[in-house]
Structures are given as structure tokens and as C-alpha cells.
Amino acid sequence: MSQLTFRLSTPPVSGVLRPRVVVVCLALAAVTFLAFCLGIGLGEFPLGLGEVVQSLLGTGDQGILFVVRELRLPRALTGLLTGAAFGLSGALFQTMTRNPLASPDMIGVTQGAGVAVVAGIVLGVGSGPGVQVLGFSGAVLAALLTYLFAWRRGTTGYRIVLVGIGLSWIFASATEYLMVTSNTFQAQAALGWLFGNLNGRTWSQAVPLALALAVLTPAALLLGRWSRALQLGDEVAVVLGAPVQRARLTLLLVGVALVAFGTAAAGPIAFVALAAPQIAQRLARTAWPPPVASALAGAFVVLAADLIARRLIPDVELPVGVVTGVLGAPLLLWLLAHGRRA
């Protein structure tokens, strides 16, 4: 059976349960937790899987407990939450625009965050918490500009994608100009953030991101009815009673907020928001990217890429965005080829 319907009298809730989606979510949650624990175990003082799990449960040796909770857990948690935020944001964008190529990477949101951070570093205001504020502000401003320029008595997913691609190139060019005109120290500081990086992450990055996801994730799930209506096209969505323009703006704001907080915490990790929803959709075999599975897939992609980045070259920790970029580029080419055939 591909799906099951349910109806509760108290509270009055009804819906459709897809067993395959549930199984996919459980499997993704399991492999994500495994990657999460393996990442915590890596370091100059390696830890076994059992020791990591004991420490997460608050038991075991006090020295190991300190290493896990204070030194390694913030980095792993930042990676997990950032991946989940990117995956869920990508699912919202792709469903809203009915386009598998629509993601914050492709429509200028992450590039807007990048140019804001680099400008702040060049001007001397992009250090410490200032980087997070600049990244968040740049992402939100880029999204608002995209929506404004795409407005023609309303917006469509097609116009949002086209305008976003154009703005992304403008932001990328501005970033390159700032990098060229900055000094060597400033350029190195900017590069460390632009590639997406989990090195040196602390609770000051993990806690705000966790609080943001606690608010934005339920909001994204509650907007599922609108996003599924938009997936059927504007005309059908209107017939179904969905406020098309308000729904599109609300979904855009929630998606941008997710990627803005994630980018502020770990930088613009490339291709996660593009790849995770497509992975989840193909595993679940649904007509649109399932949001929970997309978030779990995004978390796994970031954590797995971080493991590769830390083990690929001995004594060198590559930025996690380098690995996701290398792995995501073939997927982008495949999506382009598949879309052309379709």
C-alpha cells in the first residue's frame, strides 16, 4: 500500500501517511546519527563509537565527557543543523517554484550572504558575531531583491528562478571584486568563510541555529498544504483555495530564514540545498521533495562531507564546502540533462 489515510476526532486532525516516506526518514535518521557520532570521534584524541554515545547520554569517563560536550559536540551539532536547514530550505524552494534547480545556491541567496560578509571583512566590521549578522542580513536582502524584481502583478516560480540567477552573478562578481581589492589577510579570512567551514565552531554558532530551527521547522511543515498546492500550478492552487501570492511570499521568507541562519553559522556550503531534496525525493518516490526527509538528507550530506574533508588529506582539514561542491557538481549536470530531456 503506497499511502494510508487517518482521521482523529481529538484533536480534529486528518492526513495521509506514506509508509515509504516514514521508512526513508528512519533510515536517513540512522545514517545521520552514525555520521554525527563518527565526526565527534575524530580528532587528535580518537574516540570509539561506544564512548561517544555514552558521553552523549551523560555517562562514562569525565575527561571524555568534557572533550565530547565542550570541544567536539558544537562542531558536529552545527554541521547537523546547518545541513537540516539547507535541506529543508531547498525543499521549500523547489516545491514552491516547481523547479528542481531552484535552491538558495542558484537564485542568489547564498551569494548575497557572501558579498555582505566579504564587504564587512574588507571594511573591518566582519569579525566574531559580526560575520553571522552580515551573512544573515545579506541573505535576507538578496531574497527581497529577487522577489521585488520578479514582481509583475504577482510572481511566478519561473520569474523568481530567472531573476535569482541574474542577481547571483551580480553578487558573485561583486564578491570577486572585493576579494581582488582586499589585502592578503582579508582575502584569507573571507575565503575561510566563503567555502563553508565547520572548523572552530562553538556553542555561539550552534545555539542560535538550534533556536531558529525550533521555530522555523514547524512553520515550514505547517505550510506544507500551501506548498503542495503550488506544486500543482497557480491555476489549480487558486481553485483549491490557496492564496497563491501570499503563500509564495511566506514560503520564500521561511526558506530564506532557514538558509540565512544556516549560512550565518557555517558559511554558504555549496549544493546541499540543491542535492538534499532531490536525494530525498528519489528515495521516497514522491511527486515533490518531502520536507522531513530533505532535512535529514541535508544533515547527512554535510556530516558525511565533513568526515571526508577531515580524512581525505592527512593533517589537513579541508572546508566542508569544497567536498560538497565536488560531489554536487555532477548532480547539477545530471539534473540539467534530465530536465532537457523532460
Side-chain angles (χ1 to χ4, degrees), residues 22 33 81 93 149 187 224 279 320:
V22 175
F33 181 73
L81 295 175
F93 274 95
F149 290 140
I279 294 171
V320 65

Side-chain angles (χ1 to χ4, degrees), residues 130-303:
V131 173
Q132 299 182 54
V133 174
L134 287 170
F136 180 86
S137 303
V140 172
L141 179 60
L144 291 177
L145 287 175
T146 299
Y147 192 83
L148 176 64
F149 290 140
W151 180 270
R152 292 292 182 276
R153 290 175 300 189
T155 61
T156 63
Y158 182 72
R159 282 204 299 268
I160 288 175
V161 171
L162 286 181
V163 171
I165 290 174
L167 286 176
S168 69
W169 281 104
I170 294 174
F171 295 143
S173 299
T175 301
E176 291 175 359
Y177 172 78
L178 290 170
M179 294 286 290
V180 170
T181 56
S182 64
N183 59 46
T184 303
F185 176 77
Q186 292 172 335
Q188 289 178 342
L191 281 174
W193 187 87
L194 283 174
F195 280 113
N197 208 327
L198 296 178
N199 297 339
R201 292 301 178 263
T202 64
W203 289 112
S204 62
Q205 286 88 30
V207 171
L209 180 55
L211 294 176
L213 278 176
V215 175
L216 294 172
T217 300
L221 297 179
L222 289 174
L223 291 171
R225 180 172 177 270
W226 281 358
S227 64
R228 289 192 292 273
L230 291 177
Q231 179 72 20
L232 300 174
D234 290 2
E235 294 80 6
V236 176
V238 170
V239 173
L240 293 176
V244 172
Q245 298 304 325
R246 191 173 73 208
R248 185 170 285 123
L249 178 59
T250 305
L251 287 165
L252 179 67
L253 291 176
V254 173
V256 168
L258 284 165
V259 77
F261 277 104
T263 302
I269 303 176
F271 288 112
V272 176
L274 174 71
Q278 292 302 306
I279 294 171
Q281 182 177 354
R282 279 156 178 75
L283 290 175
R285 296 179 184 175
T286 55
W288 55 80
V292 176
S294 298
L296 290 170
F300 173 73
V301 167
V302 172
L303 293 174

Side-chain angles (χ1 to χ4, degrees), residues 40 45-48 50-56 59-72:
I40 293 176
F45 179 59
L47 299 174
E51 293 174 313
V52 172
V53 174
Q54 284 184 341
S55 298
L56 293 175
T59 60
D61 182 80
Q62 291 300 312
I64 295 177
L65 193 63
F66 173 80
V67 169
V68 169
R69 290 194 166 184
E70 299 301 325
L71 302 181
R72 300 184 182 179

Side-chain angles (χ1 to χ4, degrees), residues 10-31:
T10 306
V13 176
S14 63
V16 176
L17 181 66
R18 295 176 173 82
R20 184 180 180 88
V21 176
V22 175
V23 172
V24 167
C25 288
L26 292 175
L28 286 171
V31 295

